[in-house]
Amino acid sequence: MKHRTTSHPRFLLSAVSAAVMALTNVAIAQEAPMQRVEVTGSSIKRLATENALPLTTIKAEELVNRGLTTMSEVAVALTVASTNEPVGGGGSGTMINMRGLNTNRTLVLLNGRRLANEALGDSSVNVDVIPMAAIERVEVLRDGASALYGTDAIAGVVNFITKRSITGVTASASTVQPEQSGGGAQRRAGLVIGKGDLASDGWNVYTAIDVQRRDSLLQRDRPNITDPAKIVQLGGTAFTPNTSGGAASPANFTIYRNGKSASITGNPYFAAGCVTPYAVQTTIPSTRTNANGGKTCITDPTYYPELLPEAQQATVFTKASLAHGDGGILTVELNLSKSYIDASDAPQPFGASTDYDRLTASRRPLMITRASKWYPGGSGGVPAVAGLNGEDLALTWSLDELGAVTTHDEQLNHRLVVQDEGQLSFFGGWDYRAGVSYAYSQRNIGFRDNFVRTPGLYAGVEKGILNPFGPQDQAGRDYLESISADGLEYRNADVRYYGADVNLSRTLMDLGGGALGLAVGADWHRESFEENMNMLGNEVVYKVSGTPGRNPSGSRRVAGAYAELDAPVTKELNLNFAVRADHFSDFGNTVNPKASFRYQPMKQLMLRGTVSKGFRAPTLPELYGSERTLTPSSSNWDDPLLCPSATPGVTGTGTLTTDPRYAGLNLDPTRVCNTRLTTLTGANPDLDPEKSKTYTVGFVVEPVKNFVATVDFWKIDMTGTIAQVSEDTIFNNIEKYGDLFVRNADGTLAYITKTRLNMGGLRTQGVDIGLNYVYPTSSWGRFGFSLDGTYTDKYEGQNESGGEWFDSVGRNGALSTGATASNTYVFKWKHQARVNWSYNGFFAQLTQQYASSYEDTNALPTQKPGQPFFNRIAAYRVYNLSTSYKVNKQLKLGLGVNNLFDEDPPLSNQRLSSRVVFARNVAKPIGRTFTVRADYSF
C-alpha cells in the first residue's frame, strides 16, 4: 500500500449556521430553561434559543406520533435520506444514504460518538443496532463535512441521542399486521427500567430492552405485483425461458456433439407436463439447428422469490450516570445488539452457466452420459426422447426436490463508552468533556437449509447416483444428505473500534451580540477489519459473494485536532469558524476548514450560510476486502473479440469470430456470445481519497405567528469519487474501456475489470424546504401542518477525471460503490407532509410520503426512449394514519394504518428476469397494514 500525503489547503473559516426556530422539529433539551446545551455539529454550549445550526431534530414523542416503531422506519422518515434496507436478502441491515451520495458518506453517531460499522462492508453503520426504546431525539445536520466529528461526513451527520436519565418502569408492545395474508407481519416489545434521580440522589441507572421480529413474505403471496400480464407490459414474457441457466425442474438438456453444444434442447418430462407446482412448460423458438424448438421445463419464476426475508433482533442499552462536583456527570454506556436475517430463494441451480462451471478451469458443464441409469430411456425409468442417439447431455437442473434454499446472516454489535463532563473551575472555568469508547461488530454468514456441495453433485450425476430428472431413490437421497452444506458457516468478518476524545470550551470576551465562544478538542481512534472466507463457499457457490480462501485484513489509526470559534459580532450577526487537522496512518495529513454565518435583521427573518471542505479516505474493505472476486457479469454480453458486433452495447448482435488466430480454440458460441462473461469486482488497494466542498445558503422566515418556513440551497462538489464503471458504460464504448478486458495468452477472456476506481468528479445541488404551522384553539385543541421536502436540481458524475458529465437526477446511474447496487436513484422531489390534531389526551396525524417520477433502468434494446417497452416509474405517494390516546398517567394506546389506500408499489424492470419487479427504492410490497401499540408505565 503506497502512502499518500495530502497538501495542507489554506484555512477556510468554518462551522455551522442558522437555526430553525419554532419548527415542529426544533430540539428542546430537557434541562432547565436557561441551561446551556450542546447540539450536533458544534462543541460550544449555548442557550437553546441561540441554536444557529442547519439542524433538523425529531423528538421521540414525534416518532411515536408518526407510528414509527423501528429504527429502520425512522431512517426512512428522514426526508433528506434514502435507505439501503435488506428487502431482498442482504444481512447488512438498514443504512442511511443522505443526498444519494451512498451510505459510506453519511456519518451516523450515537450520543455524538461513532459506532462500529457493519462488519463486512465496514463503511456504514447499521442503524438497526441503535436502541429504539432509549431514544430521546434524532438530530440531522444537513450541511456536510463536520469539523467536529470527522471530515468524512460529506453528505451529513445523523446523531441519535438517548435519554439523559429514566426512572420507573415502562413496557411497550406493538404489532404491524398486513391486511393480506401470507407473511410480512412485524412485532416489537420494549422494556425500560430506571432508578435514581440525578438532581436529588446524584445518580441514575436505566436499561432499555428492545426485541423485534419480522416474518418472511414470499412473492407468490402478492400476485397483484407479479401478474404475468404486467410483466409483458414491461417488455418481458409471462414466463421467460432460461435453458442456459439452472432454473429447470426437472433438468433440461442440451445435446453435446464433438465436445460442443449442438443447441438442441429438450426435457424428457415435457409431454407429461413437467413437475407442478414448481415448474412450467415452455418452448424455445425454432432455430436452424433445432427446427422444432426446444420443449423444456423451467422453474416457475413466481413460486420461490422472497420479497421480505425473515428477520429478528434484540438490543439492550444500559446507561449509568453519577453526578459529582459542581455540575459534573460521569456516565457509562453499554449497548449490545444481536440480529439475524434468514433469506430464502429458489432452489440451488446447477448447469452450464452457473458460477461453479463458468469460473472453474475445466469449464465442463454438468453432464450425464448413457452410462447412467437415469439417462432418458435408461433402466431408471426416465422417459425416452425421440432423436437422442446416446449423445452426452449438458444439463441445467434446479434442486426443487429439496425446496427453497435459506441462508443465515447473523450480526453482532457491541459498544462501551465511558465519559466524564463538567467544569474545570480551577482552570479558568473551562467546560470539559472527555471519553473513551470501544465498539465491536461481527457478521457471520452460513447455509441454513437445502444447500449441497456443487462438486459432489456433479460427481453424483456423473456416477449415476443422482437422478437429475428426479425424484431420487433412497440411494440418491442418502447421497444428497452426505454432500449437504446445511448448518455450516462460510464467511465471517469483524470490525473493532477503539477511540478517545477530549473537548474544552469556554467564553472569552463580550462582543456586540454576546460572548465570544471558543472550543478546542482532539480525538484518536483505531479501526481494524478482518474477514475470513473458507473454501466451503467455493464448493457451494450459489448465493456466495466474496473470494473463497481469501482472508483480508487491515487497520488504520486516525488522530485529529480541531478548534471552533463562535463570534456573535452584533445582536444581528453571528459568525462561526472551525478547522480540523487529521493524520491518517495510511494516507498522511489533511486539514479541512468550515465557516458559517447567521444574520437576523428582524425577528421574522434569519439568513444563514456555510462553506466547508471534506476528505474521505477509502474504507479498509474498499482497499483490501474479499469482494475482490471473479463473478459472472450482471447481464448477458457478446465477447467483443471472440464474438464481435457492430453494436457491442446491444447483446445478441455478435457472431462467432472467423479470425484464423483463434481457430484452434474450438470456441463454443454459448460461452462467448450472448452470455454472462466473467468480471473482477470489489476492492482496489491503489485507491486515493475523495475530497469535497460543500456550500449552503438559506433563510428562515416567520411571516405570521405560529408559521415558520425554511429554505436552504445546498451544493456538494466531489473529486476522486470512488465508484465503479457500469457494464453498460463499458460495452457502449469498447474503444475507450478496452484496457478493462484482461485476456489469457490464447485470447480467451480472463475477466473484465470492474473493481472500485477513483473516477472523476461528482456534483450535486438542490433545495431543502421546511414548512410548519400550528393553530391552537381554546375549544377544539391544536391543529398543525408541516412539510419537509428536498428538490434535487443536479446530480452529475464523471467516469474519469476530465471526462463527460452525466446527470442522473430522475434516472438510474447514481453513485455506485460496489456495496450499493447501480440501480439507485436520486429523486427530483421528495417530501413528507403531515397534518395533525391533538385534543386533551388524543392525537391523530395523517402523513403523506411522496417521491417524484423517474426513468426506469431500461437496459434492454426494446427499452429505450420511443420504444414500446420503455418504462417510467410514476410518482408514488403513500398515506399513513396514526392515532394515540393517553388513557391515564400509566397507559397510552395507539392505532394506525400504513399505506392507507393500499397503493401497489410501481412496477420496474430492474430485475425483470427474476420476476421481483416492484420498485424497491420507493415502495415496499407489503400493502396496507394495521398497527397497534400500547405503552404502560408502572
Side-chain angles (χ1 to χ4, degrees), residues 786-809:
S786 61
L787 179 144
D788 295 303
T790 296
Y791 175 84
T792 303
D793 176 62
K794 180 169 65 177
Y795 190 104
E796 295 181 330
Q798 294 174 303
N799 287 327
E800 61 277 320
S801 180
E804 183 180 356
W805 291 92
F806 299 93
D807 194 354
S808 299
V809 175

Side-chain angles (χ1 to χ4, degrees), residues 330-371:
L330 174 67
T331 60
V332 179
E333 298 176 9
L334 177 64
N335 189 52
L336 307 174
S337 176
K338 182 176 182 178
S339 62
Y340 74 79
I341 292 178
D342 284 353
S344 69
D345 207 337
Q348 195 172 349
F350 305 93
S353 67
T354 61
D355 295 10
Y356 174 77
D357 174 65
R358 180 163 302 284
L359 301 178
T360 52
S362 66
R363 291 180 173 266
R364 178 174 171 79
L366 174 62
M367 304 290 288
I368 188 171
T369 68
R370 64 187 308 170

Side-chain angles (χ1 to χ4, degrees), residues 155-233:
V157 180
V158 181
N159 191 7
F160 293 88
I161 300 172
T162 60
K163 293 179 172 65
R164 182 180 177 90
S165 64
I166 297 176
T167 57
V169 179
T170 300
S172 63
S174 64
T175 181
V176 179
Q177 185 64 46
E179 181 178 33
Q180 299 183 59
S181 61
Q186 185 169 291
R187 297 164 295 281
R188 173 184 171 269
L191 180 66
V192 182
I193 305 173
K195 187 173 180 60
D197 185 276
L198 273 173
S200 58
D201 301 327
W203 61 275
N204 178 262
V205 177
Y206 74 84
T207 295
I209 302 171
D210 211 73
V211 180
Q212 55 183 284
R213 177 185 174 87
R214 182 183 66 194
D215 297 335
S216 167
L217 177 65
L218 297 178
Q219 179 167 283
R220 63 177 181 263
D221 294 318
R222 292 295 184 269
N224 54 307
I225 60 173
T226 55
D227 182 354
K230 295 180 179 178
I231 303 295
V232 172
Q233 292 176 14

Side-chain angles (χ1 to χ4, degrees), residues 110 116 120 212 226 270 283 319 327 422 594 702 717-718 752 800:
L110 179 60
L120 278 181
Q212 55 183 284
T226 55
F270 180 86
T283 301
K319 185 174 184 177
K594 182 175 180 180
E702 187 178 2
D717 292 338
M718 296 175 58
I752 304 169
E800 61 277 320

Side-chain angles (χ1 to χ4, degrees), residues 738-760:
D739 59 339
L740 298 182
F741 289 79
V742 178
R743 297 190 177 273
N744 301 309
D746 61 0
T748 56
L749 181 68
Y751 55 82
I752 304 169
T753 303
K754 279 178 52 184
T755 56
R756 296 180 180 92
L757 304 169
N758 283 106
M759 304 177 74

Side-chain angles (χ1 to χ4, degrees), residues 36 42 84 100 124 193 203 282 561 655 657 668 716 734 842 867:
R36 298 171 68 84
S42 176
N84 176 28
S124 310
I193 305 173
W203 61 275
T282 184
T655 55
T657 181
D668 183 345
I716 302 172
I734 294 295
F842 179 77
Q867 297 298 312

Side-chain angles (χ1 to χ4, degrees), residues 86 89-93 214 309-312 339-343 407-410:
S92 57
R214 182 183 66 194
E310 176 186 320
Q312 185 167 307
S339 62
Y340 74 79
I341 292 178
D342 284 353
T407 55
H408 183 74
D409 199 329
E410 182 181 82

